[in-house]
Structure formats: structure tokens, C-alpha cells
Amino acid sequence: PVLSAEVPAAKPPPVALLELPPRPVIAVAPLAGEVPASRRGAVADALRVFLDLDPQHHLSVPLPTLQDLDIALTPDMDPTGLARAGRALGHVDALVSGTVDADGVELVVTSTHDGRELGRFRVQGDPEHPVSLARDAAQRLLEAMGSALPPAPPTLTRDPDAYAAYLGALEAARGGDADQTSEHLAEALRRDPGFDLARYSRLSVLRAQRRLDDVSTAGQALLADTPGLAPRLRSLVQAWVAYAAHDGARTIALLTDHLTRWPYDIEAYQVLLVVRFHDPRHRDLAAAEELARQLVAVAPRNETGISRLVRALAWRGKVDDAAQALRDLGLPRDDPRFAEIWGELAL
């Protein structure tokens, strides 16, 4: 689906295949340009959504978390800076950066391994219609990876006001404002009750609030009536429903299988860590330490991974190892995001 006033762009000529590994991991960086930041952000967010629908399931997008991307990347980075930032973010093979202007978007794919430009694409379109522009851009990128979008991606909405509310929820989530996030998602779903991605995001909020009965109800409904939900998201919802039912064994099995298909999915690691820390029948701090180490390898500044790693060590009496882990990660004591973690070690 596209927004109601949009006209599909003419089909571009075939593009050459990019030099990427068989299962590349790609992160979409913040986009530059003279158009308002809200429009640039809308195009980047929609691009991440469309790439996540890839039917060959060989992308892990968005990676890492939006917060990590915003901290590590800036729209004006040169290729060397992008490559360095991508390596620091963890297992990212390429970064998509670019510029949005009044006539469309120009995207550049940069290897994080050597800083080479792997491809450059110009896609015509109106940034006032970010979903349509991002859809066409994603199609060009996926063609260059030997893949394609599904004929009719069902995840996005036809209602521009619903999509604007969803983007507001993403912005509120970046700022850590759970109440505003919930209000924006409620508005998006009021305008379009069938907006799959907003329903999924609301489920994420319910899980974070530990409203498990609501997670179970909303998750089962989402699985039942959204057959076109992106495969990665459907896999996560199945695990959340199992978690809401207090079925720790099934949750672990589902998420372990999930990570064999999407090995860099931060959300999956985070839910597994909750089970390993808080489910009395499956609490295992040694397993939690291993999971946390895997998570910080994927996203070295992920607060959940860092805090769980420290606690998994400290709670087993390995306080010196926990402090060394923080030093190895290069976390300054004066960074307010990690002050609580350092404080726990001091107690």
C-alpha cells in the first residue's frame, strides 16, 4: 500500500549487483538534505521498514537500535567515518546513507569493511510522500542485492495522518517517553485500526510495560489477522505470546531459532535476557552472561546488553570481571547513560 495521494514512479532500469556477503547486514543511517528533518527522518524510517520485508530474509534491518544509530552516525559523515562507525556498531556489512531533496533521494551504499562505495542510486519522488519514495528506493536497493519487495507490502498505512502519528511514536521512543509513544500509537490506530506496524509497535510497548495479559491478547490477534506481517516481526510476536503465557521453555526455543535466521536482532536478545534473569524456572546467569556478550558484540553501546552483562557477572561474585568488561567496552564513568551501571559496581 501507498499513501492515498501518491503516484508510483516509472520503473528504473536494472541495477548491477552489489558486492556484499551472502547474508549482508545493512543499517540505514540518518539522511542529509535541505528538506525538513522530519521528512528526512520519515524517508529513513520507511526505508528501514521496507527493507525488513525482504522475502529472502537475508537482511537484518533496522540494526542496531535507532538510539545507537542516532548516537553513532551523522548525516554529513564521509565514507571513512561511515565505515569506522559501522564497524563500531557491530556486525554491519554496509551502511546506506544519502541525501533527500525536493525531487527525491540519492542513496549511497558504503562497505564498513574498507570504506568503499559499493553503489549509488538516484530515486525520483516527492519527500512529502515518504512511504512511496522509500518504497521505490528500497526496491532499487533490493534489486541490487538480487532480491525484491513483495508485490503488495501490507505493513504500512494508506492514511498519511496515521503514518505521521506512527513517526511521532518512533521519535518519542527515541527520547524514552513511553507515555508519548503510547499516545502517538493510539492515534495512529484510531486513524487506521489495520495499520500492522503500529499494532506491532504497540505490542512492543505493552511488553516493555510488562502488561502480559494485554501482550497475549494483542499478540494472538496480530498473528491471526495479519498474514502479511514481515517474517522477522511475526517470529518475534510468536515468542512474545509464549512469554506472556509464562512458557519460558517455548520462548527460549522460539528466540533461539529466531536468532539462527536473524543473528543480529537486538530485540530477540533482549527478550531472551529477560527470561534468563526473571523466569524462576529458567533463570541462568551463566547463560545470561553469554547472551549479553553476544548482544554487546552486535551493539556495543546497547544499554540492556551492558547492564545485563555487568549484573550476570557481579551477581555471581565476579565484580572485578564486571568492571573489566566495562573498561574493555570503553565506557567512561562520566557518561550519564551508564552512570547507574558503574554505580551498581561501586555498591
Short mmCIF file of all heavy atoms in Angstrom, two decimals, residues 224-248:
data_model
loop_
_atom_site.label_atom_id
_atom_site.label_comp_id
_atom_site.label_asym_id
_atom_site.label_seq_id
_atom_site.Cartn_x
_atom_site.Cartn_y
_atom_site.Cartn_z
N ALA A 224 -3.22 -13.66 14.07
CA ALA A 224 -4.38 -14.25 13.40
C ALA A 224 -4.81 -13.49 12.16
O ALA A 224 -5.22 -14.10 11.17
CB ALA A 224 -5.55 -14.33 14.39
N ASP A 225 -4.72 -12.15 12.20
CA ASP A 225 -5.33 -11.40 11.10
C ASP A 225 -4.36 -10.52 10.33
O ASP A 225 -4.76 -9.61 9.61
CB ASP A 225 -6.51 -10.55 11.59
CG ASP A 225 -6.13 -9.57 12.69
OD1 ASP A 225 -4.94 -9.25 12.82
OD2 ASP A 225 -7.04 -9.14 13.40
N THR A 226 -3.06 -10.79 10.46
CA THR A 226 -2.09 -10.08 9.63
C THR A 226 -1.15 -11.09 8.97
O THR A 226 0.03 -11.17 9.31
CB THR A 226 -1.27 -9.07 10.46
OG1 THR A 226 -0.68 -9.77 11.58
CG2 THR A 226 -2.13 -7.95 10.97
N PRO A 227 -1.66 -11.87 8.01
CA PRO A 227 -0.82 -12.90 7.38
C PRO A 227 0.39 -12.33 6.66
O PRO A 227 1.36 -13.04 6.42
CB PRO A 227 -1.78 -13.59 6.40
CG PRO A 227 -2.86 -12.58 6.16
CD PRO A 227 -3.01 -11.83 7.43
N GLY A 228 0.34 -11.04 6.28
CA GLY A 228 1.46 -10.45 5.56
C GLY A 228 2.47 -9.76 6.44
O GLY A 228 3.36 -9.09 5.93
N LEU A 229 2.35 -9.88 7.77
CA LEU A 229 3.32 -9.25 8.65
C LEU A 229 4.72 -9.75 8.31
O LEU A 229 4.92 -10.92 8.02
CB LEU A 229 2.98 -9.60 10.11
CG LEU A 229 3.73 -8.83 11.20
CD1 LEU A 229 3.35 -7.36 11.19
CD2 LEU A 229 3.42 -9.45 12.57
N ALA A 230 5.69 -8.82 8.32
CA ALA A 230 7.07 -9.19 7.97
C ALA A 230 7.51 -10.42 8.75
O ALA A 230 7.24 -10.53 9.95
CB ALA A 230 8.01 -8.01 8.26
N PRO A 231 8.18 -11.38 8.10
CA PRO A 231 8.54 -12.63 8.78
C PRO A 231 9.31 -12.43 10.07
O PRO A 231 9.08 -13.16 11.05
CB PRO A 231 9.38 -13.36 7.73
CG PRO A 231 8.89 -12.82 6.41
CD PRO A 231 8.55 -11.39 6.67
N ARG A 232 10.24 -11.48 10.11
CA ARG A 232 11.00 -11.25 11.34
C ARG A 232 10.08 -10.82 12.48
O ARG A 232 10.20 -11.28 13.61
CB ARG A 232 12.08 -10.20 11.11
CG ARG A 232 13.00 -9.98 12.31
CD ARG A 232 13.99 -8.86 12.05
NE ARG A 232 13.33 -7.57 12.02
CZ ARG A 232 13.09 -6.82 13.09
NH1 ARG A 232 13.45 -7.24 14.29
NH2 ARG A 232 12.50 -5.65 12.97
N LEU A 233 9.15 -9.92 12.17
CA LEU A 233 8.23 -9.43 13.19
C LEU A 233 7.29 -10.54 13.65
O LEU A 233 7.01 -10.69 14.84
CB LEU A 233 7.44 -8.24 12.68
CG LEU A 233 8.25 -7.04 12.20
CD1 LEU A 233 7.32 -5.88 11.86
CD2 LEU A 233 9.28 -6.63 13.22
N ARG A 234 6.80 -11.35 12.73
CA ARG A 234 5.91 -12.46 13.09
C ARG A 234 6.62 -13.44 14.03
O ARG A 234 6.04 -13.91 15.00
CB ARG A 234 5.43 -13.18 11.82
CG ARG A 234 4.59 -14.43 12.08
CD ARG A 234 3.97 -14.94 10.79
NE ARG A 234 2.94 -14.01 10.36
CZ ARG A 234 1.68 -14.03 10.81
NH1 ARG A 234 1.31 -14.94 11.69
NH2 ARG A 234 0.81 -13.16 10.37
N SER A 235 7.88 -13.71 13.74
CA SER A 235 8.65 -14.61 14.59
C SER A 235 8.78 -14.05 16.01
O SER A 235 8.63 -14.77 17.00
CB SER A 235 10.03 -14.83 13.97
OG SER A 235 10.84 -15.63 14.80
N LEU A 236 9.03 -12.74 16.12
CA LEU A 236 9.13 -12.12 17.44
C LEU A 236 7.80 -12.16 18.18
O LEU A 236 7.75 -12.42 19.39
CB LEU A 236 9.60 -10.66 17.31
CG LEU A 236 11.09 -10.45 17.02
CD1 LEU A 236 11.36 -8.98 16.76
CD2 LEU A 236 11.94 -10.97 18.17
N VAL A 237 6.69 -11.89 17.48
CA VAL A 237 5.38 -11.89 18.12
C VAL A 237 5.06 -13.27 18.69
O VAL A 237 4.52 -13.40 19.80
CB VAL A 237 4.28 -11.42 17.15
CG1 VAL A 237 2.89 -11.59 17.77
CG2 VAL A 237 4.49 -9.96 16.77
N GLN A 238 5.39 -14.31 17.94
CA GLN A 238 5.16 -15.67 18.44
C GLN A 238 5.91 -15.89 19.76
O GLN A 238 5.37 -16.50 20.70
CB GLN A 238 5.62 -16.69 17.39
CG GLN A 238 4.72 -16.74 16.17
CD GLN A 238 5.31 -17.59 15.07
OE1 GLN A 238 6.53 -17.78 14.98
NE2 GLN A 238 4.45 -18.12 14.20
N ALA A 239 7.13 -15.39 19.84
CA ALA A 239 7.89 -15.54 21.08
C ALA A 239 7.28 -14.73 22.21
O ALA A 239 7.23 -15.18 23.36
CB ALA A 239 9.34 -15.12 20.84
N TRP A 240 6.80 -13.54 21.90
CA TRP A 240 6.20 -12.70 22.94
C TRP A 240 4.93 -13.34 23.50
O TRP A 240 4.66 -13.25 24.69
CB TRP A 240 5.88 -11.33 22.38
CG TRP A 240 7.10 -10.52 22.08
CD1 TRP A 240 8.41 -10.86 22.34
CD2 TRP A 240 7.13 -9.24 21.47
NE1 TRP A 240 9.25 -9.87 21.92
CE2 TRP A 240 8.50 -8.86 21.37
CE3 TRP A 240 6.17 -8.39 20.97
CZ2 TRP A 240 8.90 -7.66 20.82
CZ3 TRP A 240 6.57 -7.19 20.42
CH2 TRP A 240 7.91 -6.83 20.35
N VAL A 241 4.14 -13.96 22.63
CA VAL A 241 2.92 -14.63 23.09
C VAL A 241 3.29 -15.77 24.03
O VAL A 241 2.65 -15.97 25.07
CB VAL A 241 2.09 -15.12 21.89
CG1 VAL A 241 0.97 -16.05 22.35
CG2 VAL A 241 1.50 -13.93 21.11
N ALA A 242 4.33 -16.51 23.68
CA ALA A 242 4.79 -17.60 24.57
C ALA A 242 5.29 -17.03 25.89
O ALA A 242 5.00 -17.58 26.96
CB ALA A 242 5.90 -18.40 23.88
N TYR A 243 6.00 -15.92 25.84
CA TYR A 243 6.49 -15.29 27.06
C TYR A 243 5.33 -14.81 27.93
O TYR A 243 5.34 -15.00 29.16
CB TYR A 243 7.40 -14.12 26.70
CG TYR A 243 7.83 -13.28 27.88
CD1 TYR A 243 8.73 -13.79 28.81
CD2 TYR A 243 7.35 -11.99 28.06
CE1 TYR A 243 9.14 -13.03 29.90
CE2 TYR A 243 7.74 -11.23 29.14
CZ TYR A 243 8.64 -11.75 30.05
OH TYR A 243 9.02 -10.99 31.13
N ALA A 244 4.32 -14.22 27.31
CA ALA A 244 3.15 -13.74 28.06
C ALA A 244 2.40 -14.90 28.72
O ALA A 244 1.76 -14.72 29.76
CB ALA A 244 2.21 -12.97 27.14
N ALA A 245 2.49 -16.09 28.13
CA ALA A 245 1.85 -17.28 28.70
C ALA A 245 2.73 -17.95 29.76
O ALA A 245 2.40 -19.04 30.23
CB ALA A 245 1.52 -18.27 27.59
N HIS A 246 3.85 -17.32 30.11
CA HIS A 246 4.79 -17.85 31.10
C HIS A 246 5.37 -19.19 30.68
O HIS A 246 5.70 -20.03 31.52
CB HIS A 246 4.12 -17.98 32.48
CG HIS A 246 3.51 -16.69 32.96
ND1 HIS A 246 4.26 -15.64 33.45
CD2 HIS A 246 2.21 -16.27 33.01
CE1 HIS A 246 3.46 -14.63 33.78
NE2 HIS A 246 2.22 -14.99 33.53
N ASP A 247 5.49 -19.37 29.36
CA ASP A 247 6.08 -20.59 28.82
C ASP A 247 7.54 -20.29 28.47
O ASP A 247 7.89 -20.00 27.32
CB ASP A 247 5.30 -21.05 27.59
CG ASP A 247 5.72 -22.44 27.11
OD1 ASP A 247 6.82 -22.88 27.49
OD2 ASP A 247 4.95 -23.07 26.37
N GLY A 248 8.40 -20.32 29.49
CA GLY A 248 9.79 -19.96 29.28
C GLY A 248 10.51 -20.87 28.32
O GLY A 248 11.32 -20.41 27.51
#
